[in-house]
Amino acid sequence: MYPSPRPGVLDIAPYVPGEHDAEGAAEIHVMSANEGALGASPEAIAAYEAVGKHLHRYPEGGATDLRAAIARHHGLEAGRVVCGSGSDELIRLLTGAYAGPGDEVLFSRHGFAMYPISALASGAKPVAAPETDLRADVDALLDAVTEKTKILFLANPNNPTGSHLSPAEVARLHAGLPETVLLVIDAAYAEYIERPDYEPGLDLARSAANVVMLRTFSKIHGLAALRVGWAYGPDHVADVLGRVRGPFNVNAAAQAAAAAALADADHVAKAKVHNDRWLPWLADELTALGLTAHPSAGNFILVGFPETDGKTAEAADAFLVSRGVITRRMAGYGLPQCLRITVAEEPALKACVAALGEFMAG
Ligand SMILES: *Cc1c(COP(=O)(O)O)cnc(C)c1O
């Protein structure tokens, strides 16, 4: 006999992070985790290093300076910003606070993997609504709402599909939800997108009583190692997060580096220019090889492979790894015929396309 966790926990298929290593390859190109192609801002690295002199001190528990910087940058109320140890922690905290046994947590079929994991960890039931053409389907999501639904997670744009919903579609989704359902709009890739048919969810997070927007420093800011994310929503949600989070949930180095990263607008702009240049390049190259490059609004592309023997995503992955190119397998997302490739730095992109050319010709 031994203690057993509560129902749901052992149903969790643990999150499988992107690989960062390929045995035997001379040079390794990591394109598996959507990490910022240009790395962290030198200002952020300096701020991180400066914290080394004060490691015996607890962090400032309220992340007050960082929240103030975020609020200034985006024109928000600092009291409604809550920082987390990555947006992953905020997904966990929201799920734990708003859903439990007997409740349902809703998301779209190929949505971000942390949503079902968090639901099960909280004892709630994960519910996946079907997508249309690898895109969240507003009607299917609304059809899946029951009186047990407590949270609807929408990644916009979505990882791994790269698809996004327009502000009008998000507004229609929100309008169709009961006021008691919390709509969490996860905009991890928002900084990469500048187009008239996209808005990260700030408008609703500012005005609605049941909408929270999540953001992260892990992607365009290149601070994935430090784990910093933030939430913006109504006062009552910020209050709840303030009660359930750990008192020092964002460490001191992370707070300092994130504030410095936010202030380095040049670095962010360079990262955006890099993505604007290489995302379409990668899509074109993949298409020219006969592969399906699904349209993406992020810093990654979901790539469909043929079902033909020897040309499958699984075979491509093995071939790429042998060439030191590490991408992400998608079987865990219900997309076994696909790989997800990050728009990484130029040498990685060139190595990936060259290897895929060899693979498809072979
Ligand atoms: C990468 C990613 C996150 C996780 O971000 P962290 O802040 O590193 O935890 C959250 N949501 C989506 C959709 C992501 O792709």
Side-chain angles (χ1 to χ4, degrees), residues 270-345:
K270 274 188 202 138
K272 167 96 167 53
V273 166
H274 176 90
N275 202 62
D276 288 346
R277 170 168 180 209
W278 292 104
L279 178 75
W281 179 86
L282 180 60
D284 288 349
E285 294 287 329
L286 294 167
T287 307
L289 291 173
L291 301 169
T292 307
H294 293 281
S296 173
N299 68 337
F300 57 88
I301 296 181
L302 183 73
V303 190
F305 285 78
E307 309 278 338
T308 359
D309 248 11
K311 295 282 179 258
T312 61
E314 193 180 353
D317 179 54
F319 188 87
L320 287 170
V321 169
S322 77
R323 295 292 185 275
V325 176
I326 306 173
T327 66
R328 187 68 155 265
R329 296 284 305 278
M330 286 286 115
Y333 279 91
L335 298 164
Q337 73 284 16
C338 295
L339 297 179
R340 192 195 65 200
I341 305 179
T342 302
V343 179
E345 59 279 29

Coordinates of all heavy atoms in Angstrom, one line a residue, residues 270-345:
K270 N 14.5 43.8 -33.8 CA 15.4 42.9 -34.7 C 14.8 41.5 -34.8 O 14.9 40.9 -35.8 CB 16.8 42.9 -34.1 CG 17.6 44.0 -34.5 CD 19.1 43.8 -34.0 CE 19.8 45.1 -33.9 NZ 20.6 45.2 -32.6
A271 N 14.3 41.0 -33.7 CA 13.8 39.6 -33.7 C 12.6 39.5 -34.6 O 12.4 38.5 -35.3 CB 13.4 39.2 -32.2
K272 N 11.8 40.6 -34.5 CA 10.6 40.6 -35.4 C 11.0 40.7 -36.9 O 10.4 40.0 -37.7 CB 9.7 41.8 -35.0 CG 8.6 42.2 -35.9 CD 7.3 41.6 -35.5 CE 6.1 42.2 -36.3 NZ 6.2 42.2 -37.7
V273 N 12.0 41.5 -37.2 CA 12.4 41.6 -38.6 C 13.0 40.3 -39.0 O 12.7 39.8 -40.2 CB 13.5 42.7 -38.7 CG1 14.3 42.6 -40.0 CG2 12.9 44.1 -38.5
H274 N 13.7 39.6 -38.2 CA 14.3 38.3 -38.5 C 13.1 37.3 -38.8 O 13.2 36.6 -39.9 CB 15.1 37.7 -37.3 CG 15.6 36.4 -37.5 ND1 16.8 36.1 -38.0 CD2 15.0 35.1 -37.2 CE1 17.0 34.8 -38.1 NE2 15.9 34.2 -37.6
N275 N 12.1 37.3 -38.0 CA 11.0 36.4 -38.2 C 10.2 36.8 -39.5 O 9.9 35.9 -40.3 CB 10.0 36.4 -37.0 CG 9.2 35.1 -36.9 OD1 9.8 34.0 -36.8 ND2 7.9 35.3 -37.1
D276 N 10.0 38.1 -39.7 CA 9.3 38.5 -40.9 C 10.0 38.1 -42.2 O 9.4 37.8 -43.2 CB 9.2 40.0 -40.9 CG 8.1 40.5 -39.9 OD1 7.4 39.6 -39.4 OD2 8.1 41.7 -39.6
R277 N 11.4 38.1 -42.1 CA 12.2 37.7 -43.3 C 12.2 36.2 -43.5 O 12.0 35.7 -44.6 CB 13.6 38.2 -43.1 CG 14.5 37.7 -44.2 CD 15.9 38.4 -44.2 NE 16.7 37.8 -45.3 CZ 18.0 37.7 -45.3 NH1 18.7 38.3 -44.3 NH2 18.6 37.1 -46.2
W278 N 12.4 35.4 -42.4 CA 12.7 34.0 -42.6 C 11.5 33.1 -42.5 O 11.5 32.0 -43.0 CB 13.8 33.6 -41.5 CG 15.1 34.2 -41.9 CD1 15.7 35.2 -41.2 CD2 16.0 33.8 -42.9 NE1 16.9 35.5 -41.8 CE2 17.1 34.7 -42.9 CE3 15.9 32.8 -43.9 CZ2 18.1 34.6 -43.8 CZ3 17.0 32.8 -44.8 CH2 18.1 33.6 -44.8
L279 N 10.4 33.5 -41.9 CA 9.2 32.7 -41.8 C 8.7 32.4 -43.3 O 8.5 31.3 -43.6 CB 8.1 33.4 -41.0 CG 6.8 32.6 -40.9 CD1 6.8 31.4 -40.0 CD2 5.7 33.6 -40.4
P280 N 8.5 33.5 -44.1 CA 8.0 33.2 -45.5 C 9.1 32.4 -46.3 O 8.7 31.6 -47.1 CB 7.8 34.6 -46.1 CG 8.2 35.6 -45.1 CD 8.5 34.9 -43.8
W281 N 10.4 32.7 -46.0 CA 11.4 32.0 -46.7 C 11.3 30.5 -46.4 O 11.3 29.6 -47.4 CB 12.8 32.5 -46.3 CG 13.9 31.8 -46.9 CD1 14.5 32.1 -48.1 CD2 14.6 30.6 -46.4 NE1 15.5 31.2 -48.4 CE2 15.6 30.3 -47.4 CE3 14.5 29.9 -45.3 CZ2 16.5 29.2 -47.2 CZ3 15.4 28.8 -45.1 CH2 16.4 28.4 -46.1
L282 N 11.2 30.1 -45.2 CA 11.0 28.7 -44.8 C 9.8 28.1 -45.4 O 9.9 27.0 -45.9 CB 11.0 28.6 -43.2 CG 10.9 27.2 -42.7 CD1 12.1 26.3 -43.1 CD2 10.9 27.2 -41.1
A283 N 8.7 28.8 -45.3 CA 7.4 28.3 -45.9 C 7.6 28.0 -47.4 O 7.2 26.9 -47.9 CB 6.3 29.3 -45.7
D284 N 8.2 28.9 -48.1 CA 8.4 28.8 -49.5 C 9.3 27.6 -49.8 O 9.1 26.8 -50.7 CB 9.1 30.0 -50.2 CG 8.1 31.2 -50.2 OD1 6.9 30.9 -50.0 OD2 8.5 32.3 -50.5
E285 N 10.4 27.4 -49.1 CA 11.4 26.3 -49.3 C 10.7 25.0 -49.0 O 10.9 24.0 -49.8 CB 12.6 26.5 -48.4 CG 13.5 27.7 -48.7 CD 14.3 27.5 -50.0 OE1 14.7 26.4 -50.3 OE2 14.5 28.6 -50.6
L286 N 9.9 24.9 -48.0 CA 9.2 23.7 -47.6 C 8.2 23.3 -48.7 O 8.1 22.1 -49.1 CB 8.5 23.8 -46.3 CG 9.4 24.0 -45.1 CD1 8.6 24.4 -43.8 CD2 10.2 22.7 -44.8
T287 N 7.5 24.3 -49.2 CA 6.5 24.1 -50.2 C 7.2 23.6 -51.5 O 6.7 22.7 -52.2 CB 5.7 25.4 -50.5 OG1 5.2 25.9 -49.2 CG2 4.5 25.1 -51.4
A288 N 8.3 24.2 -51.8 CA 9.0 23.8 -53.0 C 9.5 22.4 -53.0 O 9.7 21.7 -54.0 CB 10.2 24.7 -53.3
L289 N 9.7 21.9 -51.7 CA 10.1 20.5 -51.6 C 8.9 19.5 -51.6 O 9.1 18.3 -51.5 CB 10.8 20.3 -50.2 CG 12.2 20.9 -50.1 CD1 12.7 20.8 -48.7 CD2 13.2 20.3 -51.1
G290 N 7.7 20.0 -51.8 CA 6.5 19.2 -51.9 C 5.9 18.9 -50.5 O 5.0 18.1 -50.4
L291 N 6.3 19.7 -49.5 CA 5.8 19.5 -48.2 C 4.7 20.5 -47.9 O 4.5 21.5 -48.7 CB 6.9 19.7 -47.1 CG 8.0 18.7 -47.3 CD1 9.2 19.1 -46.4 CD2 7.5 17.3 -46.9
T292 N 3.8 20.3 -46.9 CA 2.7 21.2 -46.6 C 3.2 22.1 -45.5 O 3.3 21.7 -44.3 CB 1.5 20.4 -46.2 OG1 1.2 19.4 -47.2 CG2 0.3 21.3 -46.0
A293 N 3.4 23.4 -45.8 CA 3.7 24.4 -44.8 C 2.4 25.1 -44.3 O 1.9 25.9 -45.1 CB 4.7 25.4 -45.3
H294 N 1.9 24.7 -43.2 CA 0.7 25.3 -42.7 C 0.9 26.8 -42.4 O 1.9 27.1 -41.8 CB 0.1 24.6 -41.5 CG -0.3 23.2 -41.9 ND1 -1.5 22.9 -42.5 CD2 0.3 22.0 -41.7 CE1 -1.6 21.6 -42.7 NE2 -0.5 21.0 -42.3
P295 N 0.0 27.7 -42.8 CA 0.2 29.1 -42.6 C 0.4 29.4 -41.1 O -0.3 28.9 -40.3 CB -1.1 29.8 -43.1 CG -1.8 28.7 -43.9 CD -1.3 27.4 -43.5
S296 N 1.4 30.2 -40.8 CA 1.7 30.5 -39.4 C 1.8 31.9 -39.1 O 2.4 32.7 -39.8 CB 3.0 29.8 -39.0 OG 3.4 30.1 -37.7
A297 N 1.2 32.3 -37.9 CA 1.3 33.7 -37.4 C 2.4 33.8 -36.3 O 2.5 34.8 -35.7 CB 0.0 34.2 -36.9
G298 N 3.1 32.7 -36.1 CA 4.1 32.7 -35.0 C 5.5 32.6 -35.5 O 5.8 33.1 -36.6
N299 N 6.4 32.0 -34.7 CA 7.8 31.9 -35.1 C 8.2 30.4 -35.4 O 9.2 30.0 -35.0 CB 8.8 32.5 -34.0 CG 8.8 31.7 -32.8 OD1 7.8 30.9 -32.5 ND2 9.8 31.7 -32.0
F300 N 7.2 29.8 -35.9 CA 7.3 28.3 -36.2 C 6.4 27.9 -37.3 O 5.5 28.7 -37.7 CB 7.0 27.5 -34.9 CG 5.6 27.8 -34.5 CD1 4.5 27.1 -34.9 CD2 5.4 28.9 -33.5 CE1 3.2 27.4 -34.5 CE2 4.1 29.2 -33.1 CZ 3.0 28.4 -33.6
I301 N 6.7 26.8 -37.9 CA 5.8 26.3 -39.0 C 5.4 24.8 -38.7 O 6.3 24.0 -38.4 CB 6.4 26.4 -40.4 CG1 6.6 27.9 -40.7 CG2 5.5 25.8 -41.5 CD1 7.2 28.1 -42.1
L302 N 4.2 24.5 -38.8 CA 3.7 23.1 -38.7 C 3.8 22.6 -40.2 O 3.2 23.1 -41.1 CB 2.3 23.0 -38.2 CG 1.7 21.6 -38.1 CD1 2.4 20.9 -36.9 CD2 0.2 21.6 -37.9
V303 N 4.6 21.5 -40.3 CA 4.9 21.0 -41.6 C 4.3 19.6 -41.8 O 4.6 18.7 -41.0 CB 6.4 20.9 -41.9 CG1 6.7 20.5 -43.3 CG2 7.1 22.1 -41.4
G304 N 3.5 19.4 -42.8 CA 2.9 18.1 -43.1 C 3.7 17.3 -44.1 O 4.2 17.8 -45.1
F305 N 3.9 16.0 -43.7 CA 4.7 15.1 -44.6 C 3.8 14.1 -45.2 O 2.7 13.8 -44.7 CB 5.8 14.4 -43.7 CG 6.9 15.3 -43.3 CD1 6.8 16.2 -42.3 CD2 8.1 15.2 -44.1 CE1 7.9 17.1 -42.0 CE2 9.2 16.1 -43.7 CZ 9.0 17.0 -42.7
P306 N 4.3 13.5 -46.4 CA 3.5 12.5 -47.0 C 3.4 11.2 -46.1 O 4.1 11.0 -45.2 CB 4.3 12.1 -48.3 CG 5.5 13.0 -48.3 CD 5.6 13.7 -47.0
E307 N 2.4 10.4 -46.5 CA 2.2 9.1 -45.7 C 3.0 8.0 -46.3 O 3.2 6.9 -45.8 CB 0.7 8.7 -45.7 CG -0.3 9.8 -45.3 CD -0.4 9.9 -43.8 OE1 -0.1 8.9 -43.1 OE2 -0.9 11.0 -43.3
T308 N 3.6 8.3 -47.5 CA 4.4 7.3 -48.2 C 5.6 6.8 -47.4 O 6.2 7.5 -46.7 CB 5.1 7.9 -49.5 OG1 4.7 9.3 -49.6 CG2 4.8 7.2 -50.7
D309 N 5.8 5.5 -47.5 CA 6.9 4.8 -46.8 C 8.2 5.5 -47.0 O 8.5 5.8 -48.1 CB 7.0 3.3 -47.3 CG 6.6 2.4 -46.2 OD1 6.0 2.9 -45.2 OD2 6.8 1.2 -46.3
G310 N 8.9 5.7 -45.9 CA 10.2 6.4 -46.0 C 10.2 7.9 -46.1 O 11.2 8.5 -46.0
K311 N 9.0 8.5 -46.3 CA 8.9 9.9 -46.4 C 8.0 10.5 -45.3 O 7.6 11.7 -45.4 CB 8.3 10.3 -47.8 CG 9.1 9.9 -49.0 CD 10.3 10.9 -49.2 CE 11.2 10.5 -50.3 NZ 12.5 9.8 -49.9
T312 N 7.7 9.7 -44.3 CA 6.8 10.2 -43.3 C 7.5 11.2 -42.3 O 8.8 11.3 -42.4 CB 6.4 9.0 -42.4 OG1 7.6 8.4 -41.8 CG2 5.7 8.0 -43.2
A313 N 6.8 11.8 -41.5 CA 7.3 12.8 -40.5 C 8.3 12.1 -39.6 O 9.4 12.6 -39.2 CB 6.2 13.4 -39.7
E314 N 8.0 10.8 -39.2 CA 8.8 10.1 -38.4 C 10.2 9.8 -39.0 O 11.3 10.0 -38.4 CB 8.2 8.7 -38.0 CG 8.8 8.0 -36.9 CD 8.1 6.7 -36.6 OE1 7.1 6.4 -37.1 OE2 8.7 5.9 -35.8
A315 N 10.2 9.4 -40.3 CA 11.4 9.2 -41.0 C 12.2 10.5 -41.2 O 13.4 10.5 -41.1 CB 11.1 8.5 -42.4
A316 N 11.4 11.6 -41.5 CA 12.1 12.9 -41.7 C 12.8 13.3 -40.4 O 13.9 13.8 -40.4 CB 11.1 13.9 -42.1
D317 N 12.1 13.1 -39.2 CA 12.7 13.4 -38.0 C 14.0 12.7 -37.7 O 15.0 13.3 -37.3 CB 11.7 13.1 -36.8 CG 12.3 13.5 -35.5 OD1 12.7 14.6 -35.3 OD2 12.3 12.6 -34.6
A318 N 14.0 11.4 -38.0 CA 15.2 10.6 -37.8 C 16.3 11.1 -38.7 O 17.5 11.2 -38.3 CB 14.9 9.1 -38.1
F319 N 16.0 11.4 -40.0 CA 17.0 11.9 -40.9 C 17.5 13.3 -40.4 O 18.8 13.5 -40.4 CB 16.4 12.0 -42.3 CG 17.4 12.3 -43.4 CD1 18.1 11.3 -44.0 CD2 17.7 13.7 -43.7 CE1 19.0 11.6 -45.0 CE2 18.6 14.0 -44.7 CZ 19.3 12.9 -45.3
L320 N 16.6 14.1 -40.0 CA 17.1 15.5 -39.6 C 18.0 15.3 -38.4 O 19.0 16.0 -38.3 CB 15.9 16.3 -39.2 CG 15.0 16.9 -40.4 CD1 13.7 17.5 -39.9 CD2 15.8 17.9 -41.2
V321 N 17.6 14.5 -37.4 CA 18.5 14.3 -36.2 C 19.9 13.8 -36.6 O 20.9 14.3 -36.1 CB 17.8 13.4 -35.2 CG1 18.8 13.0 -34.1 CG2 16.6 14.0 -34.6
S322 N 19.9 12.9 -37.6 CA 21.2 12.4 -38.1 C 22.1 13.6 -38.7 O 23.3 13.5 -38.8 CB 21.1 11.3 -39.1 OG 20.7 11.8 -40.4
R323 N 21.4 14.6 -39.1 CA 22.1 15.8 -39.7 C 22.3 16.9 -38.6 O 22.6 18.0 -38.9 CB 21.4 16.4 -40.9 CG 21.3 15.4 -42.1 CD 22.7 15.3 -42.7 NE 22.7 14.5 -43.9 CZ 22.7 13.1 -43.9 NH1 22.8 12.4 -42.8 NH2 22.7 12.5 -45.1
G324 N 21.9 16.6 -37.3 CA 22.1 17.6 -36.3 C 20.9 18.6 -36.2 O 21.0 19.6 -35.5
V325 N 19.9 18.4 -37.0 CA 18.7 19.3 -37.0 C 17.6 18.8 -36.1 O 17.1 17.7 -36.4 CB 18.2 19.6 -38.4 CG1 17.0 20.5 -38.4 CG2 19.3 20.1 -39.3
I326 N 17.3 19.5 -35.1 CA 16.3 19.0 -34.1 C 15.0 19.8 -34.2 O 15.0 21.0 -34.0 CB 16.8 19.1 -32.7 CG1 18.2 18.3 -32.6 CG2 15.9 18.5 -31.7 CD1 18.9 18.5 -31.3
T327 N 13.9 19.1 -34.7 CA 12.6 19.8 -34.8 C 11.7 19.1 -33.8 O 12.2 18.3 -32.9 CB 12.1 19.7 -36.2 OG1 11.8 18.3 -36.5 CG2 13.0 20.3 -37.2
R328 N 10.4 19.3 -33.8 CA 9.5 18.8 -32.9 C 8.6 17.8 -33.5 O 7.8 18.1 -34.4 CB 8.7 19.9 -32.2 CG 7.9 19.5 -31.0 CD 8.7 19.1 -29.8 NE 7.9 19.2 -28.6 CZ 8.0 20.3 -27.9 NH1 8.8 21.3 -28.2 NH2 7.2 20.4 -26.8
R329 N 8.5 16.5 -32.9 CA 7.5 15.6 -33.3 C 6.2 16.0 -32.8 O 6.1 16.6 -31.8 CB 7.9 14.2 -32.8 CG 9.2 13.6 -33.3 CD 9.1 13.0 -34.7 NE 8.0 12.1 -34.8 CZ 8.1 10.8 -34.4 NH1 9.2 10.3 -34.0 NH2 7.1 10.0 -34.6
M330 N 5.1 15.7 -33.6 CA 3.8 16.2 -33.2 C 2.8 15.1 -32.9 O 1.6 15.4 -32.8 CB 3.3 17.0 -34.4 CG 4.0 18.4 -34.6 SD 3.4 19.5 -33.3 CE 4.8 19.8 -32.3
A331 N 3.3 13.9 -32.7 CA 2.3 12.8 -32.4 C 1.5 13.1 -31.1 O 0.3 12.8 -31.1 CB 3.1 11.4 -32.3
G332 N 2.2 13.7 -30.2 CA 1.5 14.0 -28.9 C 0.4 15.0 -29.1 O -0.4 15.1 -28.2
Y333 N 0.4 15.7 -30.2 CA -0.6 16.7 -30.4 C -1.7 16.1 -31.4 O -2.5 16.9 -31.9 CB 0.0 18.0 -31.1 CG 0.6 18.9 -30.0 CD1 1.9 18.9 -29.7 CD2 -0.2 19.9 -29.5 CE1 2.4 19.7 -28.7 CE2 0.3 20.8 -28.6 CZ 1.6 20.7 -28.2 OH 2.1 21.6 -27.3
G334 N -1.6 14.8 -31.6 CA -2.6 14.2 -32.6 C -2.3 14.5 -34.0 O -3.1 14.5 -34.9
L335 N -1.0 14.9 -34.3 CA -0.6 15.3 -35.6 C 0.6 14.5 -36.0 O 1.7 15.0 -36.3 CB -0.3 16.8 -35.7 CG -1.5 17.7 -35.4 CD1 -1.0 19.1 -35.2 CD2 -2.5 17.7 -36.6
P336 N 0.5 13.1 -36.1 CA 1.7 12.3 -36.3 C 2.4 12.5 -37.6 O 3.5 12.1 -37.8 CB 1.2 10.8 -36.1 CG -0.3 11.0 -36.4 CD -0.7 12.3 -35.9
Q337 N 1.6 13.1 -38.6 CA 2.1 13.2 -40.0 C 2.9 14.6 -40.1 O 3.3 15.0 -41.2 CB 1.0 13.2 -41.0 CG 0.1 14.4 -41.0 CD -1.0 14.4 -39.9 OE1 -0.8 13.8 -38.9 NE2 -2.0 15.3 -40.0
C338 N 3.1 15.3 -38.9 CA 3.7 16.6 -39.0 C 4.9 16.7 -38.1 O 5.1 16.0 -37.1 CB 2.7 17.7 -38.5 SG 1.2 17.8 -39.6
L339 N 5.8 17.7 -38.4 CA 6.8 18.2 -37.6 C 6.6 19.7 -37.4 O 6.0 20.3 -38.2 CB 8.2 18.0 -38.2 CG 8.7 16.5 -38.4 CD1 10.1 16.5 -39.0 CD2 8.7 15.7 -37.1
R340 N 7.0 20.2 -36.3 CA 6.9 21.7 -36.1 C 8.4 22.2 -36.1 O 9.2 21.7 -35.3 CB 6.3 22.0 -34.7 CG 5.9 23.5 -34.6 CD 5.6 23.9 -33.2 NE 6.8 23.7 -32.4 CZ 6.8 23.6 -31.0 NH1 5.6 23.6 -30.4 NH2 7.9 23.5 -30.4
I341 N 8.6 23.2 -36.9 CA 10.0 23.7 -37.1 C 10.0 25.2 -36.7 O 9.2 26.0 -37.2 CB 10.4 23.6 -38.5 CG1 10.3 22.1 -39.0 CG2 11.8 24.1 -38.7 CD1 10.7 21.9 -40.4
T342 N 10.9 25.5 -35.7 CA 11.0 26.9 -35.3 C 11.8 27.7 -36.3 O 12.8 27.2 -36.9 CB 11.8 26.9 -33.9 OG1 11.1 26.1 -33.0 CG2 11.9 28.3 -33.4
V343 N 11.4 29.0 -36.5 CA 12.2 29.9 -37.3 C 13.4 30.3 -36.5 O 13.3 31.3 -35.7 CB 11.3 31.1 -37.7 CG1 12.1 32.1 -38.6 CG2 10.1 30.6 -38.5
A344 N 14.4 29.5 -36.5 CA 15.6 29.7 -35.7 C 16.6 30.7 -36.4 O 16.2 31.4 -37.3 CB 16.2 28.4 -35.4
E345 N 17.8 30.6 -36.0 CA 18.8 31.5 -36.7 C 19.1 31.0 -38.1 O 18.9 29.8 -38.4 CB 20.0 31.7 -35.8 CG 20.8 30.4 -35.5 CD 20.2 29.6 -34.3 OE1 18.9 29.7 -34.1 OE2 20.9 28.9 -33.7

